[in-house]
Amino acid sequence: MPKVLTIEDDEVTAREIIAELEQHGIEVEWVDNGRDGLVKAVSGAYDAITLDRMLPGVDGLAIVTTMRQVGVETPVLMLSALSDIDERVRGLRAGGDDYMTKPFAPDEVAARVEVLLRRTRANSGPLTELRVSDLELNLMARNARRGARELELLPTEFRLLEFMMRNSGQVLTRMMIFEAVWGFHFDPGTNLIDVHIGRLRKKVDPPGTQPLIRTVRGSGYLLGDA
């Protein structure tokens, strides 16, 4: 069972996160201040960490920065009421792996944590190629194939396909895709993701092949065998 450390000083928020993660079969340990959180975080004893940006004692940026300085690579989902782009960039540069602004839906936190856990498992050894069914993505040569057919992908399409393949079988929300591929907050008024998914689908799933990219109505997209 994966084990997650939640560092959050607001009890209501913490209990919402814990309840949601436990429903996904994840064991959670909670601390409500930065000093204790730092001690536990640098132990490297967890599979992932949810980390509040603003904490009493030691703030979230100091915690993740210290973790990376001492060589602890546990993936970190940073949570913050600060929503400006500069703050998000600051958190990711400090060593955070993902960043969400408050308020948020607990199930979205669980989805982000599961992506971090899957990424950790996928990166447990040297990874040069991703495979889903007969779809192959070579991360060194930066090329893709579906069966015997080579796919001509633009740089953004390659990043989008890589993100989806690294998280195959996982429903990826538009917000998750937007932040992972484009690196800034999702604008619900744009159809950017739908356009790129449509273009990628034409290349990955041409007529006569088993579709691998699926739309999950009301949720997002999923890549995997039917």
Side-chain angles (χ1 to χ4, degrees), residues 21 28 35 40-41 51 55 57 60 78 83 88 93-94 99 115 129 132 140 170 188 190 196 198 206 212 222-223:
L21 292 181
V28 186
R35 287 192 179 90
K40 291 182 177 296
L51 175 62
L55 290 163
M78 300 194 72
S83 60
R88 180 183 188 277
R93 282 180 176 172
Y99 191 100
V115 167
E129 190 172 84
V132 177
M140 299 295 289
Q170 168 81 32
T190 182
H196 277 80
L212 293 178
L222 180 149
L223 186 144

Side-chain angles (χ1 to χ4, degrees), residues 105-163:
D107 60 344
E108 179 71 14
V109 174
R112 300 290 187 98
V113 168
E114 288 192 325
V115 167
L116 293 181
L117 293 172
R118 289 169 65 88
R119 187 184 306 167
T120 299
R121 290 192 290 268
N123 292 339
S124 58
L127 183 65
T128 61
E129 190 172 84
L130 299 172
R131 290 174 178 266
V132 177
S133 187
D134 60 345
L135 177 64
E136 303 175 13
L137 196 70
N138 190 306
L139 302 178
M140 299 295 289
R142 308 295 290 179
N143 57 37
R145 305 183 69 84
R146 177 84 195 264
R149 182 173 50 87
E150 187 165 351
L151 308 182
E152 295 184 4
L153 301 179
L154 297 174
T156 301
E157 294 169 345
F158 189 95
R159 292 198 304 272
L160 175 57
L161 184 58
E162 178 182 353
F163 178 64

Side-chain angles (χ1 to χ4, degrees), residues 25 39 52 61 66-67 72 91 94 97 139 143 166 171 187 191 211:
V39 172
D52 188 20
L61 282 183
T66 302
M67 287 174 59
V72 176
D97 297 271
L139 302 178
N143 57 37
R166 284 185 182 274
V171 176
D187 178 0
N191 67 344

Side-chain angles (χ1 to χ4, degrees), residues 54-75:
M54 307 296 288
L55 290 163
V58 180
D59 73 9
L61 282 183
I63 291 175
V64 73
T65 299
T66 302
M67 287 174 59
R68 301 313 184 218
Q69 287 175 343
V70 300
V72 176
E73 298 300 326
T74 308

